[in-house]
Amino acid sequence: WNPVIIKDPNGEKGVKVVDTKSKTITVKATYYVISNPRLNCENTFYTEKEINSMNIEINSILNNQGYTYEYGGDLYNVSFDLNFIPAGDYIDAISLKNKDPYGNCFTRMPEKLAPNIFPVIDNNDGTVTHTAGVHQDDEIIMNANYGDNNRNRIHEIFHSLYFNNDNADSGIG
């Protein structure tokens, strides 16, 4: 598994900056975060405090993983520079995303409002699996309220960077 191989055919949703002198690869992307309620519902947006926390915590978690990439016999350190920006309501966020070649959207939704998006799957062994997050077209991330934590946020972020191998040893798990 390699967090540097970004399958981005148009180069539009993430960018990697390679510094051959310092042997560093920086993965950059922007996430326009819904910061106003939608559907007249609570828990469909992120507060400024939560967005600030995402900027600090998600980058910190990823940058503390010690990811490296070997290229041409040299070992490069991989770092992440993900930017989470308050974007207003859903329409505002989509508009900002569409104007930004590296833009993505980030929101959450009460699972009861969207059971078709966040299904509960019977595993036929006495257990169930809850869908905690989804991504649309690898650029719109939506987390269910019950699954909205840094682990699941990072999982969905990696989809936006074109890691699409769920439940595989070499995938995003």
Side-chain angles (χ1 to χ4, degrees):
W1 178 73
N2 188 326
V4 178
I5 300 172
I6 300 174
K7 182 182 162 191
D8 188 355
N10 299 321
E12 292 182 348
K13 296 303 165 200
V15 64
K16 58 185 176 190
V17 178
V18 180
D19 183 338
T20 56
K21 188 174 184 177
S22 68
K23 304 290 187 240
T24 303
I25 299 171
T26 304
V27 178
K28 295 183 174 206
T30 302
Y31 297 87
Y32 295 101
V33 183
I34 309 300
S35 56
N36 290 340
R38 68 187 239 195
L39 303 175
N40 296 320
C41 291
E42 294 299 317
N43 299 321
T44 58
F45 66 101
Y46 292 90
T47 66
E48 189 172 329
K49 182 178 178 183
E50 289 172 311
I51 296 168
N52 288 338
S53 176
M54 291 163 82
N55 274 304
I56 295 166
E57 292 176 12
I58 290 174
N59 282 300
S60 177
I61 290 167
L62 290 172
N63 288 325
N64 285 328
Q65 296 304 306
Y67 292 125
T68 59
Y69 178 72
E70 187 174 344
Y71 179 75
D74 292 324
L75 191 63
Y76 287 75
N77 292 313
V78 178
S79 66
F80 291 83
D81 182 11
L82 307 179
N83 194 9
F84 299 88
I85 300 171
D89 63 22
Y90 186 78
I91 301 296
D92 294 334
I94 294 294
S95 176
L96 289 165
K97 174 196 75 70
N98 289 338
K99 293 175 186 173
D100 182 344
Y102 307 110
N104 304 272
C105 287
F106 210 97
T107 189
R108 66 177 160 204
M109 176 74 69
E111 55 282 355
K112 291 178 182 178
L113 290 179
N116 58 326
I117 295 174
F118 304 112
V120 177
I121 301 165
D122 186 343
N123 296 322
N124 297 318
D125 63 1
T127 65
V128 296
T129 301
H130 291 266
T131 301
V134 296
H135 65 286
Q136 176 184 343
D137 302 325
D138 296 315
E139 58 189 34
I140 300 173
I141 295 169
M142 183 183 299
N143 286 309
N145 286 342
Y146 64 80
D148 190 29
N149 57 52
N150 282 335
R151 168 69 177 94
N152 287 332
R153 290 172 185 167
I154 290 170
H155 174 95
E156 297 304 329
I157 287 166
F158 272 38
H159 280 298
S160 75
L161 298 172
Y162 293 91
F163 294 91
N164 289 320
N165 201 3
D166 276 347
N167 300 317
D169 291 340
S170 64
I172 60 178

